Amino acid sequence: QQQTQHRTPPLSKTTHRRYSTSTMVLELDTATTAAATALTLSTIYLLKKHHNLSKPQKLKFDYGKPAPSPLPLKILTSLPDFLRIPLFNSTAKPSPPKDAIDILGPNSDVSPFEISEVLAGKIWRVRYHYLIDPEFKKAMEGILGGSMADLKDKALEIVPDHLRETLEKDFKISEEYDALSEEERARNGGDMKQDMFVIKLEGEGGLLLYNPIRMHAEVKKWIEERGKVKFIVSGSSSHTNHLPGTALAYPDAKIVCASAADAKCKLVGMRPADYLYDVNKDGTGRGTMKDAKEALKGRVELFHVDGDNCTQALMILAHKHLFEVDLVYTPSEEGMKEIEFETGKTASHSKFRMFYYCNISPKIEPLGYELPIYRCWFLDPTTVFSRLGQDVPKSDGSGCDDMANSLRHILKAIREPGVCERVHCVHALSMNPDEFCEKVENTWGWLDGKSLIE
């Protein structure tokens, strides 16, 4: 049989060009696929790195009501850090609330400031009264689980029998107060208050401002009569509304704050902080906690609460007086009597009783400690709240152990003989060191199941 021999005919120039082009496209497609695969794998690696996708572990104790997880927060907190943190900071930019001067004018007979001397010639308290922004109030109600009115029934269940009628009246007073105009509320002392402490530095002098407040002309003039501001210290990454304005008022002062506070404040034009107390090394060449301590030359001691991802609290000790932000929420037992917690009849007394029985009474949640539950949510790596800020807790929950050990160290230091004589909290609280240690124990003693007082 004859077999036909098939030969591939020679390619014409046109066919050769077409074949070469097809081969090149095929090679490019293969290369593109390989590159895309590599990019995908790299992206997954980076997402794991940023997201810390090792499965978060729930805290090992029952703190009570689970954290809400609204869809917008789920979306925001699911993003990798390089997207999540800038987005969060952009929504948490400092924004000073209104006060009597804003509403009634600078010539009004109502001042938002109360100034008192704490230690003769060395320490002053400047108490600042202000109004709550409606949007902020709404956001806080979402965090706390509802408005005071929403939490009324629960509060009336846990309040002692002899105070139930008083608390019912408090809710009525609150409704009447909320119906007041801005002007009326400003004349009544505003909705809230917090303290700034002005501290005279030993040696060459100068002043340190702890927890800065609004720098209206009248308080700025008063400060400058006492010396030159050398340091501005923010004691919490959650208290930043007035930090940029104070930095602007005193351009030569050194700023000491947490890195989260620095990031938020720079978004509204504040110059970079000079010292970031929550980092060991800053890539931009700025100072750290160690550097800040050296700059203060031992005149002021700094105590950072490690593990506190919600506020990055910084306590300071000057002239044997300790100052703190957002670590305790109630005064000492003696202090409760002094502010007439049970018998006071003003709107301020009513608000505090409602806040206590709606948000921080040990009887509200099974945890049994005096703090709002959202502080537990921030420490629990399984909640969306734990990723709302720049700082997130360790995925295994050991941030609680870090915070407990840090508080234990600080309390031990201030209980040494002759170290501390008085403790001041920026939310209008003051107590002796033993009372403060007991109050910290009653607020944070659950962190690792061991006493914080050694």
Side-chain angles (χ1 to χ4, degrees), residues 176-389:
E176 294 170 359
Y177 181 85
D178 289 343
L180 296 177
S181 66
E182 278 191 338
E183 290 79 5
E184 291 171 315
R185 286 157 55 206
R187 289 192 178 279
N188 276 288
D191 304 331
M192 290 191 73
K193 58 193 174 186
Q194 63 174 283
D195 296 339
M196 173 178 74
F197 292 94
V198 180
I199 300 165
K200 191 88 169 179
L201 298 171
E202 297 283 9
E204 72 227 35
L207 303 174
L208 180 150
L209 306 183
Y210 179 76
N211 189 51
I213 55 171
R214 188 79 173 271
M215 285 295 125
H216 281 304
E218 66 172 276
V219 76
K220 190 170 182 288
K221 180 176 180 292
W222 178 89
I223 290 171
E224 289 168 355
E225 288 172 352
R226 275 143 191 84
K228 182 177 181 180
V229 176
K230 297 287 188 68
F231 291 90
I232 301 167
V233 180
S234 169
S236 165
S237 60
S238 297
H239 279 241
T240 58
N241 279 336
H242 305 293
L243 184 56
T246 306
L248 184 63
Y250 302 105
D252 297 327
K254 301 297 184 182
I255 302 171
V256 183
C257 69
S259 51
D262 176 68
K264 288 189 290 183
C265 291
K266 285 193 296 186
L267 292 176
V268 295
M270 189 184 86
R271 65 183 184 272
D274 299 278
Y275 304 102
L276 302 176
Y277 62 73
D278 61 326
V279 298
N280 293 322
K281 185 177 181 180
D282 178 64
T284 65
R286 290 181 292 173
T288 62
M289 169 72 102
K290 180 176 179 291
D291 299 314
K293 287 182 175 181
E294 289 177 359
L296 287 163
K297 301 176 182 177
R299 296 167 294 183
V300 177
E301 288 292 324
L302 306 178
F303 301 99
H304 173 224
V305 182
D306 190 26
D308 175 20
N309 63 295
C310 180
T311 74
Q312 289 292 356
L314 178 76
M315 290 183 259
I316 71 169
L317 181 70
H319 304 298
K320 298 185 179 181
H321 285 242
L322 185 75
F323 305 88
E324 72 88 20
V325 186
D326 286 348
L327 282 173
V328 298
Y329 292 84
T330 61
S332 63
E333 294 305 312
E334 194 60 35
M336 293 283 260
K337 296 174 185 175
E338 290 174 4
I339 64 169
E340 301 173 306
F341 176 72
E342 293 195 355
T343 59
K345 300 183 185 302
T346 68
S348 179
H349 288 116
S350 293
K351 284 189 284 187
F352 185 48
R353 276 191 296 264
M354 289 169 58
F355 174 69
Y356 183 84
Y357 288 111
C358 287
N359 300 123
I360 58 175
S361 168
K363 295 183 179 179
I364 295 175
E365 304 293 349
L367 190 64
Y369 285 81
E370 290 183 330
L371 83 165
I373 194 170
Y374 72 85
R375 295 302 298 266
C376 299
W377 295 341
F378 271 89
L379 284 164
D380 185 347
T382 65
T383 72
V384 294
F385 282 78
S386 69
R387 291 181 57 78
L388 278 184

Side-chain angles (χ1 to χ4, degrees), residues 427-441:
H427 290 297
L429 306 176
S430 180
M431 58 196 81
N432 68 46
D434 288 335
E435 289 171 332
F436 176 69
C437 291
E438 182 180 349
K439 188 57 60 175
V440 172
E441 176 75 16

